[in-house]
PDB file of all heavy atoms in Angstrom:
ATOM      1  N   LEU I 561    -108.047  54.224 -80.013  1.00  0.00           N
ATOM      2  CA  LEU I 561    -108.090  52.846 -80.484  1.00  0.00           C
ATOM      3  C   LEU I 561    -106.873  52.464 -81.296  1.00  0.00           C
ATOM      4  O   LEU I 561    -106.274  51.420 -81.115  1.00  0.00           O
ATOM      5  CB  LEU I 561    -109.331  52.621 -81.358  1.00  0.00           C
ATOM      6  CG  LEU I 561    -110.663  52.555 -80.648  1.00  0.00           C
ATOM      7  CD1 LEU I 561    -111.766  52.303 -81.667  1.00  0.00           C
ATOM      8  CD2 LEU I 561    -110.659  51.440 -79.606  1.00  0.00           C
ATOM      9  N   LYS I 562    -106.505  53.349 -82.236  1.00  0.00           N
ATOM     10  CA  LYS I 562    -105.464  52.983 -83.186  1.00  0.00           C
ATOM     11  C   LYS I 562    -104.055  53.214 -82.677  1.00  0.00           C
ATOM     12  O   LYS I 562    -103.097  52.952 -83.390  1.00  0.00           O
ATOM     13  CB  LYS I 562    -105.619  53.820 -84.461  1.00  0.00           C
ATOM     14  CG  LYS I 562    -106.973  53.733 -85.113  1.00  0.00           C
ATOM     15  CD  LYS I 562    -106.928  54.512 -86.411  1.00  0.00           C
ATOM     16  CE  LYS I 562    -108.277  55.084 -86.776  1.00  0.00           C
ATOM     17  NZ  LYS I 562    -108.205  55.943 -87.955  1.00  0.00           N
ATOM     18  N   GLY I 563    -103.914  53.743 -81.474  1.00  0.00           N
ATOM     19  CA  GLY I 563    -102.578  54.072 -80.988  1.00  0.00           C
ATOM     20  C   GLY I 563    -102.179  55.438 -81.502  1.00  0.00           C
ATOM     21  O   GLY I 563    -102.025  56.397 -80.756  1.00  0.00           O
ATOM     22  N   GLN I 564    -102.045  55.531 -82.829  1.00  0.00           N
ATOM     23  CA  GLN I 564    -101.819  56.835 -83.438  1.00  0.00           C
ATOM     24  C   GLN I 564    -102.728  56.978 -84.644  1.00  0.00           C
ATOM     25  O   GLN I 564    -103.108  55.993 -85.265  1.00  0.00           O
ATOM     26  CB  GLN I 564    -100.365  56.956 -83.902  1.00  0.00           C
ATOM     27  CG  GLN I 564     -99.402  57.333 -82.799  1.00  0.00           C
ATOM     28  CD  GLN I 564     -98.003  57.572 -83.344  1.00  0.00           C
ATOM     29  OE1 GLN I 564     -97.409  56.682 -83.946  1.00  0.00           O
ATOM     30  NE2 GLN I 564     -97.475  58.770 -83.156  1.00  0.00           N
ATOM     31  N   ALA I 565    -103.055  58.236 -84.965  1.00  0.00           N
ATOM     32  CA  ALA I 565    -103.841  58.513 -86.164  1.00  0.00           C
ATOM     33  C   ALA I 565    -103.083  59.530 -86.996  1.00  0.00           C
ATOM     34  O   ALA I 565    -102.266  60.289 -86.486  1.00  0.00           O
ATOM     35  CB  ALA I 565    -105.202  59.064 -85.778  1.00  0.00           C
ATOM     36  N   LEU I 566    -103.366  59.505 -88.287  1.00  0.00           N
ATOM     37  CA  LEU I 566    -102.668  60.409 -89.206  1.00  0.00           C
ATOM     38  C   LEU I 566    -103.462  61.710 -89.378  1.00  0.00           C
ATOM     39  O   LEU I 566    -104.669  61.670 -89.642  1.00  0.00           O
ATOM     40  CB  LEU I 566    -102.519  59.699 -90.555  1.00  0.00           C
ATOM     41  CG  LEU I 566    -101.836  60.433 -91.689  1.00  0.00           C
ATOM     42  CD1 LEU I 566    -100.362  60.683 -91.370  1.00  0.00           C
ATOM     43  CD2 LEU I 566    -101.948  59.634 -92.985  1.00  0.00           C
ATOM     44  N   VAL I 567    -102.767  62.835 -89.217  1.00  0.00           N
ATOM     45  CA  VAL I 567    -103.379  64.143 -89.482  1.00  0.00           C
ATOM     46  C   VAL I 567    -102.498  64.844 -90.515  1.00  0.00           C
ATOM     47  O   VAL I 567    -101.281  64.893 -90.357  1.00  0.00           O
ATOM     48  CB  VAL I 567    -103.441  65.003 -88.202  1.00  0.00           C
ATOM     49  CG1 VAL I 567    -104.046  66.371 -88.495  1.00  0.00           C
ATOM     50  CG2 VAL I 567    -104.242  64.298 -87.116  1.00  0.00           C
ATOM     51  N   VAL I 568    -103.110  65.332 -91.581  1.00  0.00           N
ATOM     52  CA  VAL I 568    -102.324  66.011 -92.612  1.00  0.00           C
ATOM     53  C   VAL I 568    -102.747  67.474 -92.708  1.00  0.00           C
ATOM     54  O   VAL I 568    -103.929  67.781 -92.827  1.00  0.00           O
ATOM     55  CB  VAL I 568    -102.490  65.334 -93.997  1.00  0.00           C
ATOM     56  CG1 VAL I 568    -101.487  65.910 -94.977  1.00  0.00           C
ATOM     57  CG2 VAL I 568    -102.328  63.833 -93.892  1.00  0.00           C
ATOM     58  N   PHE I 569    -101.767  68.355 -92.613  1.00  0.00           N
ATOM     59  CA  PHE I 569    -101.991  69.781 -92.841  1.00  0.00           C
ATOM     60  C   PHE I 569    -101.608  70.066 -94.291  1.00  0.00           C
ATOM     61  O   PHE I 569    -100.597  69.555 -94.760  1.00  0.00           O
ATOM     62  CB  PHE I 569    -101.082  70.619 -91.939  1.00  0.00           C
ATOM     63  CG  PHE I 569    -101.443  70.543 -90.480  1.00  0.00           C
ATOM     64  CD1 PHE I 569    -100.999  69.488 -89.693  1.00  0.00           C
ATOM     65  CD2 PHE I 569    -102.214  71.537 -89.893  1.00  0.00           C
ATOM     66  CE1 PHE I 569    -101.323  69.422 -88.343  1.00  0.00           C
ATOM     67  CE2 PHE I 569    -102.547  71.477 -88.537  1.00  0.00           C
ATOM     68  CZ  PHE I 569    -102.103  70.418 -87.765  1.00  0.00           C
ATOM     69  N   ALA I 570    -102.412  70.887 -94.966  1.00  0.00           N
ATOM     70  CA  ALA I 570    -102.044  71.178 -96.349  1.00  0.00           C
ATOM     71  C   ALA I 570    -102.477  72.584 -96.732  1.00  0.00           C
ATOM     72  O   ALA I 570    -103.452  73.120 -96.198  1.00  0.00           O
ATOM     73  CB  ALA I 570    -102.694  70.160 -97.283  1.00  0.00           C
ATOM     74  N   THR I 571    -101.709  73.151 -97.660  1.00  0.00           N
ATOM     75  CA  THR I 571    -102.127  74.427 -98.250  1.00  0.00           C
ATOM     76  C   THR I 571    -102.557  74.135 -99.685  1.00  0.00           C
ATOM     77  O   THR I 571    -102.103  73.150-100.286  1.00  0.00           O
ATOM     78  CB  THR I 571    -100.972  75.436 -98.267  1.00  0.00           C
ATOM     79  OG1 THR I 571     -99.880  74.870 -99.002  1.00  0.00           O
ATOM     80  CG2 THR I 571    -100.505  75.773 -96.854  1.00  0.00           C
ATOM     81  N   VAL I 572    -103.459  74.986-100.213  1.00  0.00           N
ATOM     82  CA  VAL I 572    -103.942  74.726-101.574  1.00  0.00           C
ATOM     83  C   VAL I 572    -103.266  75.670-102.564  1.00  0.00           C
ATOM     84  O   VAL I 572    -102.747  76.723-102.184  1.00  0.00           O
ATOM     85  CB  VAL I 572    -105.484  74.873-101.672  1.00  0.00           C
ATOM     86  CG1 VAL I 572    -106.152  73.787-100.866  1.00  0.00           C
ATOM     87  CG2 VAL I 572    -105.943  76.253-101.231  1.00  0.00           C
ATOM     88  N   LYS I 573    -103.283  75.245-103.816  1.00  0.00           N
ATOM     89  CA  LYS I 573    -102.690  76.069-104.869  1.00  0.00           C
ATOM     90  C   LYS I 573    -103.549  77.299-105.108  1.00  0.00           C
ATOM     91  O   LYS I 573    -104.757  77.281-104.860  1.00  0.00           O
ATOM     92  CB  LYS I 573    -102.587  75.252-106.152  1.00  0.00           C
ATOM     93  CG  LYS I 573    -101.487  74.219-106.066  1.00  0.00           C
ATOM     94  CD  LYS I 573    -101.217  73.597-107.415  1.00  0.00           C
ATOM     95  CE  LYS I 573    -100.127  72.556-107.294  1.00  0.00           C
ATOM     96  NZ  LYS I 573    -100.319  71.430-108.196  1.00  0.00           N
ATOM     97  N   SER I 574    -102.942  78.349-105.624  1.00  0.00           N
ATOM     98  CA  SER I 574    -103.720  79.562-105.848  1.00  0.00           C
ATOM     99  C   SER I 574    -104.809  79.258-106.873  1.00  0.00           C
ATOM    100  O   SER I 574    -104.623  78.471-107.800  1.00  0.00           O
ATOM    101  CB  SER I 574    -102.826  80.711-106.325  1.00  0.00           C
ATOM    102  OG  SER I 574    -102.282  80.367-107.557  1.00  0.00           O
ATOM    103  N   GLY I 575    -105.943  79.858-106.627  1.00  0.00           N
ATOM    104  CA  GLY I 575    -107.093  79.579-107.497  1.00  0.00           C
ATOM    105  C   GLY I 575    -107.970  78.468-106.939  1.00  0.00           C
ATOM    106  O   GLY I 575    -109.077  78.258-107.398  1.00  0.00           O
ATOM    107  N   ARG I 576    -107.461  77.703-105.939  1.00  0.00           N
ATOM    108  CA  ARG I 576    -108.285  76.655-105.334  1.00  0.00           C
ATOM    109  C   ARG I 576    -108.800  77.139-103.992  1.00  0.00           C
ATOM    110  O   ARG I 576    -108.130  77.872-103.290  1.00  0.00           O
ATOM    111  CB  ARG I 576    -107.469  75.367-105.127  1.00  0.00           C
ATOM    112  CG  ARG I 576    -106.889  74.789-106.408  1.00  0.00           C
ATOM    113  CD  ARG I 576    -107.955  74.358-107.389  1.00  0.00           C
ATOM    114  NE  ARG I 576    -108.786  73.279-106.885  1.00  0.00           N
ATOM    115  CZ  ARG I 576    -108.829  72.065-107.438  1.00  0.00           C
ATOM    116  NH1 ARG I 576    -108.115  71.784-108.497  1.00  0.00           N
ATOM    117  NH2 ARG I 576    -109.616  71.135-106.932  1.00  0.00           N
ATOM    118  N   GLN I 577    -109.993  76.720-103.652  1.00  0.00           N
ATOM    119  CA  GLN I 577    -110.603  77.127-102.388  1.00  0.00           C
ATOM    120  C   GLN I 577    -110.450  76.022-101.355  1.00  0.00           C
ATOM    121  O   GLN I 577    -110.570  74.843-101.673  1.00  0.00           O
ATOM    122  CB  GLN I 577    -112.115  77.367-102.593  1.00  0.00           C
ATOM    123  CG  GLN I 577    -112.439  78.559-103.472  1.00  0.00           C
ATOM    124  CD  GLN I 577    -111.963  79.865-102.881  1.00  0.00           C
ATOM    125  OE1 GLN I 577    -112.096  80.076-101.675  1.00  0.00           O
ATOM    126  NE2 GLN I 577    -111.364  80.738-103.692  1.00  0.00           N
ATOM    127  N   ARG I 578    -110.219  76.431-100.106  1.00  0.00           N
ATOM    128  CA  ARG I 578    -110.249  75.452 -99.019  1.00  0.00           C
ATOM    129  C   ARG I 578    -111.714  75.160 -98.695  1.00  0.00           C
ATOM    130  O   ARG I 578    -112.502  76.100 -98.587  1.00  0.00           O
ATOM    131  CB  ARG I 578    -109.562  76.019 -97.786  1.00  0.00           C
ATOM    132  CG  ARG I 578    -108.069  76.188 -97.978  1.00  0.00           C
ATOM    133  CD  ARG I 578    -107.409  76.664 -96.715  1.00  0.00           C
ATOM    134  NE  ARG I 578    -107.481  78.106 -96.567  1.00  0.00           N
ATOM    135  CZ  ARG I 578    -107.495  78.739 -95.401  1.00  0.00           C
ATOM    136  NH1 ARG I 578    -107.479  78.037 -94.284  1.00  0.00           N
ATOM    137  NH2 ARG I 578    -107.544  80.053 -95.332  1.00  0.00           N
ATOM    138  N   SER I 579    -112.068  73.911 -98.574  1.00  0.00           N
ATOM    139  CA  SER I 579    -113.456  73.596 -98.215  1.00  0.00           C
ATOM    140  C   SER I 579    -113.505  72.226 -97.558  1.00  0.00           C
ATOM    141  O   SER I 579    -112.610  71.410 -97.776  1.00  0.00           O
ATOM    142  CB  SER I 579    -114.329  73.569 -99.479  1.00  0.00           C
ATOM    143  OG  SER I 579    -113.943  72.469-100.280  1.00  0.00           O
ATOM    144  N   PRO I 580    -114.562  71.978 -96.760  1.00  0.00           N
ATOM    145  CA  PRO I 580    -114.701  70.642 -96.148  1.00  0.00           C
ATOM    146  C   PRO I 580    -114.780  69.548 -97.209  1.00  0.00           C
ATOM    147  O   PRO I 580    -114.283  68.446 -97.009  1.00  0.00           O
ATOM    148  CB  PRO I 580    -116.028  70.730 -95.385  1.00  0.00           C
ATOM    149  CG  PRO I 580    -116.294  72.191 -95.211  1.00  0.00           C
ATOM    150  CD  PRO I 580    -115.625  72.908 -96.335  1.00  0.00           C
TER     151      PRO I 580
END
Side-chain angles (χ1 to χ4, degrees):
L561 287 181
K562 305 185 209 174
Q564 278 186 301
L566 179 66
V567 179
V568 190
F569 291 83
T571 58
V572 293
K573 287 191 181 146
S574 64
R576 301 297 296 244
Q577 293 297 319
R578 292 184 276 151
S579 68

